[in-house]
């Protein structure tokens, strides 16, 4: 690569001497991330379309063990969030940071390590998730070796970015840089705290948190992954690329300041709104509601700042396809950030939670905000660094309208379906009986799922059209890998001028900005989590709740491996409709041995919290047949077959190490129990085998399906007794 030259030139302007330096922007790294964004975007969207079609054609689209819905859905979310959006973030970062700071990235080597390391992480995710290696925590499914790799690569990226900021030629840090700094430090904190886990083997671990505590940490992470990976970096990109594309300054500097500080302070408190009406302490739920509702103000401040930047330029918006994408993106951001606070209100959340309404809400943000902004940036950026014109503005306009229609066909049916879903779940007959079985509500959803699939197909088709357009654009130009630039050297001494805004002080000091940002974002998490972990009364114990038997523990791990939590919840809310359908509402003390928690966030299938207890209890034979061939037991079910569990032998050799791991996490198995665990597992498995044999089902006792049946039959049985004392819990043998 061409050696970077830095030359000093002296110019005389009036009586002032200005020292200028020549340098080169690194466009090669921008190109790499741009290509990765486009490719992974199509891959991630195709995985999502595939998952959507599985709910319409569950038997014909499902391709077996490694490509079931429970494995493809996490693959889709990880691919879209971390591969498509992640590469899009870095593409925009590397382009804008260099120009905002008037310097090349500090280290080309670190830039390359960052790029290739991130792509290898994505490939690792694409391999391990279909194979069933998962932590079972939404948006954080990747297992511990990959978590460590993510940490290392994130530090590489942050180090390169921050040293570049320190070596800048531009004294003041533009608003986009504030958001970039906040993203780096907050994502690092979120990832590390949520990924504290105890390895059991090379690709298996248990989170150190359990039950209610794990749920709080997970949704503190999950909501703020949306906040600080899908929102704040894209707001930074909005503040750079929208004014650039419109050739206009940002509407309001003061509004930018309010938007930034209010957003990063309030966002971090909002995670508990994912756990309303759950076993989470009420005070934590209330905090989540208050701050979630308050989020509407800074969020809309940012949207208004973005849209009003275009004041006087609407004629240009009609003609410029890039601005069309950016305007729809900012509008979708406004819609999503209005709807989110509304959904955090308890009366609305009682309808929306566990339904397709939430899925629609998330995708308005994902498809509209992240997707359309990324498309607009790609169309604007690639022709510039390849020194050419966009191959076809007509194709880009076609992409815009196809993608916009795709979003509408995707979201509107899902809003309708979600509200209908919830109302059907809650409907009673005049005699006081539940009007609809859960399976009936699934059947009613299928036409809406089909429309969703059509919308998704349109959106993917638009993305493929974009890739074709960009490939032709790139081939018509030539990459300017090292773009020459010139800027004045940073003058070390600075004198504050009259009337200068007070916020300018911190804009000139990146290290204090980083520290203050860290403090601001830690406050909310600390206030919510410290009492939950330190105050025993927040998680009361129940004496009848016992640790899982070895067979049940193995069955639970298989349940997590198969991604059952993406379709089934294990959290009965205190509504009459739910207690009538499922049984007694869930208590915090039930989950003290759940590593990880399995409360879920969507009910494609019924809640399983009381599956093994009371009126919900089904025979071992029913569970066997249902897992082997769901449609033969539940006509109209969209559940895939788990026939491979009948064929696969249970790895009982892992039982002792799992028991020891649980003991380290505080689960009260007797000392030395790992030596007895396999014998107890075998005894319980033979009991289930005998029950199946009575119904002419001959299956060896060492099959995985036996362990899953044991786990399902255990669910909800611990609190059938009225013992709610706080005595130490002994092992249930």
């Amino acid at each position: 690569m061409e050696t970077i030259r830095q030359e000093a030139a002296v110019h005389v302007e009036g009586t002032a001497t200005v020292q200028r330096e020549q340098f080169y922007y690194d466009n090669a790294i921008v190109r790499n991330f741009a290509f990765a964004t486009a490719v992974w975007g199509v891959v991630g969207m195709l995985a999502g379309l595939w998952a959507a079609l599985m709910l319409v054609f569950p038997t014909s689209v499902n391709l077996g063990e490694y490509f079931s819905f429970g494995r493809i859905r996490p693959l889709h979310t990880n691919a879209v969030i971390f591969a498509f959006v992640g590469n899009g973030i870095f593409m925009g970062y590397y382009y804008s940071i260099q120009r905002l700071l008037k310097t090349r990235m500090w280290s080309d080597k670190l830039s390359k390590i960052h790029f290739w390391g991130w792509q290898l992480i994505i490939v690792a995710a694409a391999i391990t998730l279909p194979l069933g290696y998962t932590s079972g925590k939404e948006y954080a499914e990747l297992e511990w070796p990959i978590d460590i790799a993510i940490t290392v690569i994130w530090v590489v990226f942050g180090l390169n970015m921050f040293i570049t900021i320190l070596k800048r030629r531009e004294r003041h840090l533009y608003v986009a840089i504030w958001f970039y700094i906040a993203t780096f430090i907050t994502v690092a904190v979120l990832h590390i705290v949520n990924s504290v886990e105890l390895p059991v083997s090379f690709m298996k671990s248990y989170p150190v948190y359990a039950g209610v505590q794990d749920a709080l940490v997970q949704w503190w992470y999950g909501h703020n992954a949306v906040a600080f990976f899908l929102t704040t970096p894209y707001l930074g990109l909005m503040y750079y690329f929208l004014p650039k594309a419109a050739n206009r300054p940002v509407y309001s500097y003061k509004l930018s300041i309010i938007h930034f500080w209010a957003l990063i302070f309030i966002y971090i408190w909002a995670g508990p709104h994912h756990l309303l009406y759950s076993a989470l302490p009420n005070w934590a739920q209330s905090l989540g509601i208050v701050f979630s509702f308050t989020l509407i103000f800074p969020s809309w401040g940012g949207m208004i700042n973005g849209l009003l930047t275009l004041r006087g330029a609407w004629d240009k918006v009609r003609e410029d396809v890039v601005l069309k994408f950016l305007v729809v993106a900012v509008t979708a951001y406004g819609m999503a950030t209005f709807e989110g606070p509304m959904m955090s209100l308890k009366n609305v959340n009682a309808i929306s939670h566990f339904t397709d309404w939430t899925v629609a809400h998330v995708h308005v943000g994902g498809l509209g905000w992240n997707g359309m902004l990324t498309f607009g940036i790609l169309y604007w950026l690639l022709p510039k660094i390849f020194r050419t014109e966009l191959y076809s503005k007509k194709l880009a306009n076609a992409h815009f309208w196809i993608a916009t229609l795709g979003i509408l066909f995707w979201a509107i049916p899902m809003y309708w379906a979600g509200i209908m879903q919830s109302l059907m779940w809650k409907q009673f007959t005049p005699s006081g009986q539940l009007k609809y079985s859960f399976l009936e509500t699934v059947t009613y959803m299928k036409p809406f799922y089909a429309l969703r699939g059509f919308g998704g197909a349109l959106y993917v088709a638009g993305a493929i059209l974009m890739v074709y357009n960009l490939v032709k654009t790139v081939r018509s130009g030539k990459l300017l890998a090292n773009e020459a630039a010139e800027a004045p050297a940073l003058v070390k001494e600075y004198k504050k001028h009259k009337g200068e805004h007070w916020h300018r002080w911190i804009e000139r000091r990146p290290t204090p900005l980083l520290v203050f940002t860290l403090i601001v974002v830690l406050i909310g998490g600390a206030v919510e989590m410290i009492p939950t972990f330190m105050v025993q009364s927040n998680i009361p114990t129940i004496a009848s709740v016992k640790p899982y038997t070895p067979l049940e523990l193995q069955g639970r791990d298989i349940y997590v491996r198969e991604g059952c939590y993406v379709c089934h919840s294990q959290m009965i809310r205190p509504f009459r409709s739910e207690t009538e359908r499922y049984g007694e509402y869930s208590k915090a003390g039930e989950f003290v041995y759940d590593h990880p928690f399995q409360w879920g966030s969507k009910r494609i299938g019924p809640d399983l919290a009381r599956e093994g207890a009371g009126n919900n209890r089904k025979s071992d034979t029913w569970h066997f047949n249902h897992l082997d061939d769901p449609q033969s037991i539940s006509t109209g079910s969209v559940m895939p077959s788990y026939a491979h569990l009948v064929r696969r032998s249970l790895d009982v050799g892992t039982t002792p190490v799992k028991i020891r791991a649980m003991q380290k996490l505080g689960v009260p198995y007797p000392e030395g129990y790992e030596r007895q665990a396999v014998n107890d597992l075998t005894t319980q498995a033979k009991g289930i085998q005998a029950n199946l044999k009575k119904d002419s089902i001959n299956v060896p006792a060492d099959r995985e399906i036996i362990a899953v049946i044991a786990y399902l039959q255990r669910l909800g049985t611990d609190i059938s007794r009225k013992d709610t004392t706080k005595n130490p819990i002994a092992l249930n043998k």
Side-chain angles (χ1 to χ4, degrees):
M1 190 189 69
E2 180 182 348
T3 304
I4 300 168
R5 296 181 297 113
Q6 292 202 0
E7 300 174 351
V10 176
H11 303 274
V12 178
E13 299 180 3
T15 58
T17 301
V18 180
Q19 186 179 27
R20 301 184 68 83
E21 295 177 344
Q22 294 179 350
F23 56 94
Y24 294 92
Y25 295 134
D26 180 6
N27 287 336
I29 190 66
V30 178
R31 172 206 57 192
N32 293 346
F33 277 113
F35 287 178
T37 300
V39 171
W40 288 120
V42 171
V43 171
M45 293 170 202
L46 284 172
L49 178 60
W50 186 4
L53 293 176
M54 286 182 185
L55 300 183
V56 184
F57 311 106
T59 55
S60 55
V61 176
N62 193 294
L63 300 182
E65 174 182 357
Y66 301 112
F67 303 103
S68 64
F69 183 86
R71 299 197 189 186
I72 291 300
R73 191 266 193 173
L75 177 65
H76 160 61
T77 55
N78 278 268
V80 169
I81 295 171
F82 301 110
F84 173 55
V85 174
N87 278 298
I89 290 168
F90 302 135
M91 166 189 68
Y93 269 33
Y94 279 102
Y95 185 87
S96 61
I97 283 174
Q98 296 183 81
R99 286 152 180 86
L100 288 171
L101 302 177
K102 299 294 186 291
T103 184
R104 191 182 180 94
M105 295 303 296
W106 176 62
S107 170
D108 287 6
K109 183 175 291 186
L110 288 183
S111 298
K112 291 175 182 177
I113 292 172
H114 175 206
F115 174 77
W116 289 110
W118 196 255
Q119 308 318 308
L120 288 173
I121 287 167
I122 295 167
V123 171
I127 294 171
T128 58
L129 289 172
L131 290 176
Y133 297 113
T134 173
S135 67
K137 302 179 73 169
E138 290 190 68
Y139 316 129
E141 290 93 348
L142 303 180
E143 268 293 358
W144 68 271
I146 306 176
D147 281 341
I148 292 173
I150 291 171
T151 305
V152 171
I153 295 302
W154 194 256
V155 169
V156 166
F157 154 65
L159 182 67
N160 200 13
M161 179 184 73
F162 203 73
I163 296 180
T164 302
I165 293 172
L166 294 176
K167 294 174 68 66
R168 69 195 184 281
R169 293 181 177 85
E170 180 67 44
R171 176 172 295 279
H172 292 286
L173 299 177
Y174 179 67
V175 58
I177 302 294
W178 313 346
F179 282 100
Y180 297 167
I181 291 173
T183 297
F184 164 68
I185 194 63
T186 309
V187 169
V189 171
L190 294 170
H191 175 70
I192 291 169
V193 172
N194 190 50
S195 300
V196 180
E197 49 211 0
L198 179 65
V200 176
S201 63
F202 176 61
M203 288 300 289
K204 173 66 181 173
S205 64
Y206 293 122
V208 298
Y209 319 109
V212 172
Q213 295 166 338
D214 191 40
L216 177 60
V217 172
Q218 163 60 24
W219 283 114
W220 172 78
Y221 163 88
H223 182 79
N224 290 302
V226 172
F228 289 93
F229 200 85
L230 300 178
T231 303
T232 57
Y234 267 65
L235 287 170
L237 299 182
M238 178 198 78
Y239 274 112
Y240 180 81
F241 286 100
L242 184 62
K244 278 286 187 182
N247 196 26
R248 298 185 66 84
V250 170
Y251 170 68
S252 172
Y253 167 68
K254 291 181 180 179
L255 188 54
S256 302
I257 296 171
I258 296 170
H259 178 208
F260 173 73
W261 289 107
L263 194 77
I264 66 170
F265 174 72
I266 295 171
Y267 238 135
I268 209 77
W269 297 74
H273 79 228
H274 290 264
L275 302 170
L276 301 185
Y277 293 110
S278 72
L280 187 73
N282 280 327
W283 64 264
Q285 296 184 41
S286 298
L287 278 176
I289 294 169
V290 170
F291 283 93
S292 297
F293 185 77
T294 311
L295 263 176
I296 193 171
F297 301 108
S299 298
W300 269 49
M303 178 198 70
I304 290 168
N305 214 8
L307 291 179
L308 289 185
T309 297
L310 298 171
R311 70 198 188 286
W314 291 106
D315 287 339
K316 187 175 181 181
V317 172
R318 284 194 291 270
E319 301 297 326
D320 190 330
V321 68
V322 169
L323 286 178
K324 289 179 185 177
F325 277 102
L326 300 187
V327 167
V328 169
V330 176
T331 304
Y333 170 69
M335 293 170 61
T337 53
F338 174 80
E339 185 184 15
M342 296 301 105
M343 293 170 71
S344 70
L345 300 176
K346 275 199 164 184
N347 55 345
V348 179
N349 188 271
I351 300 171
S352 67
H353 195 51
F354 289 134
T355 73
D356 286 304
W357 179 350
T358 304
V359 180
H361 163 66
V362 170
H363 281 77
V364 166
L367 301 175
W369 168 232
N370 298 115
M372 298 297 265
L373 194 73
T374 304
F375 298 150
I377 293 172
L378 282 166
Y379 281 126
W380 185 87
L381 185 151
L382 279 174
K384 287 192 177 299
I385 65 174
F386 277 87
R387 292 298 184 266
T388 186
E389 294 292 324
L390 184 64
Y391 170 70
S392 173
K393 291 182 180 179
K394 287 184 178 180
L395 287 179
N397 273 296
H399 175 201
F400 171 77
W401 289 110
I402 290 171
T404 301
L405 286 172
I407 294 171
L408 294 175
F409 274 106
W410 205 112
I412 293 172
M414 286 295 95
Y415 281 122
W416 189 290
I419 294 171
M420 184 175 72
Q421 208 173 24
S422 182
L423 295 179
M424 291 179 75
W425 290 346
K426 296 175 183 295
Q427 186 69 36
F428 284 85
T429 64
S431 61
Q433 303 296 313
L434 287 167
K435 185 172 182 179
Y436 299 101
S437 69
F438 192 92
L439 188 55
E440 285 180 286
T441 70
V442 173
T443 303
Y444 275 97
M445 293 301 107
K446 286 188 176 181
F448 299 94
Y449 288 157
L451 280 172
R452 186 255 303 267
F454 175 68
L458 284 177
Y459 199 85
V460 175
I464 293 172
L465 194 64
M466 177 196 70
V467 170
Y468 171 77
N469 201 358
L470 293 179
V471 168
K472 298 291 283 187
T473 300
V474 166
R475 287 182 175 177
S476 69
K478 184 177 181 181
L479 176 68
L480 185 59
N482 295 285
E483 181 180 341
E486 184 179 79
L490 182 65
V491 179
K492 301 300 181 183
E493 295 181 5
Y494 178 81
K495 292 182 180 180
K496 182 177 179 181
H497 60 78
K498 186 178 180 180
E500 182 174 282
H501 196 278
W502 62 266
H503 195 262
R504 289 286 189 180
W505 179 88
I506 198 167
E507 291 172 34
R508 296 192 297 269
R509 295 168 173 83
T511 303
L513 179 60
L514 178 84
V515 173
F516 290 164
T517 299
L518 178 61
I519 292 170
V520 166
V521 299
L522 286 180
I523 292 171
V527 170
E528 290 173 346
M529 281 193 276
I530 291 174
T532 306
F533 281 82
M534 303 301 292
V535 180
Q536 180 62 32
S537 61
N538 280 316
I539 313 293
T541 57
I542 301 174
S544 59
V545 174
K546 305 295 189 291
Y548 295 104
T549 65
L551 185 63
E552 292 160 0
L553 180 62
Q554 291 280 17
R556 190 176 197 275
D557 287 345
I558 297 169
Y559 179 96
V560 171
R561 183 192 76 195
E562 299 298 334
C564 301
Y565 60 89
V566 305
C567 294
H568 296 281
S569 60
Q570 291 186 31
M571 174 51 58
I572 302 172
R573 298 175 292 177
F575 303 151
R576 180 188 168 212
S577 58
E578 297 208 3
T579 56
E580 286 287 329
R581 189 182 300 276
Y582 301 120
E584 179 70 6
Y585 70 88
S586 300
K587 315 295 193 301
E590 295 182 60
F591 308 102
V592 292
Y593 304 130
D594 284 4
H595 298 269
F597 85 110
Q598 291 289 280
W599 295 0
S601 60
K602 174 75 174 73
R603 285 177 181 158
I604 297 173
D607 189 277
L608 300 180
R610 302 278 178 263
E611 184 66 15
N615 295 331
N616 292 317
R617 185 175 179 86
K618 305 173 181 70
S619 68
D620 293 344
T621 297
W622 187 95
H623 281 298
F624 181 94
N625 289 327
H626 186 248
L627 289 166
D628 184 41
D629 185 4
Q631 284 71 32
S632 68
I633 300 297
S634 304
T635 303
S637 171
V638 295
M639 178 175 165
S641 169
Y642 289 93
H644 61 274
L645 300 180
V646 182
R647 300 189 299 269
R648 291 185 59 159
S649 297
L650 181 66
D651 184 6
V652 296
T654 61
T655 305
V657 70
K658 289 183 177 181
I659 295 294
R660 286 194 295 271
M662 285 292 170
Q663 288 172 323
K664 291 178 182 178
L665 295 173
V667 179
Y669 291 106
E671 185 176 353
Y673 181 67
E674 67 274 12
R675 294 190 292 273
Q676 179 189 338
V678 174
N679 290 333
D680 286 357
L681 180 153
T682 303
T683 300
Q684 186 178 5
K686 287 182 176 178
I688 295 173
Q689 179 193 34
N691 290 338
L692 295 173
K693 193 170 185 179
K694 291 176 184 176
D695 291 321
S696 302
I697 297 175
N698 295 306
V699 60
D702 67 346
R703 294 298 186 259
E704 287 188 340
I705 197 168
I706 300 292
V708 175
I709 291 171
Y711 172 64
L712 294 173
Q713 295 289 38
R714 169 63 183 277
L715 292 174
T717 59
D718 281 340
I719 66 163
S720 58
R721 289 170 281 176
K722 300 300 181 182
D723 182 4
T724 56
T725 62
K726 296 181 181 179
N727 295 327
I729 302 170
L731 175 67
N732 178 19
K733 295 184 181 179

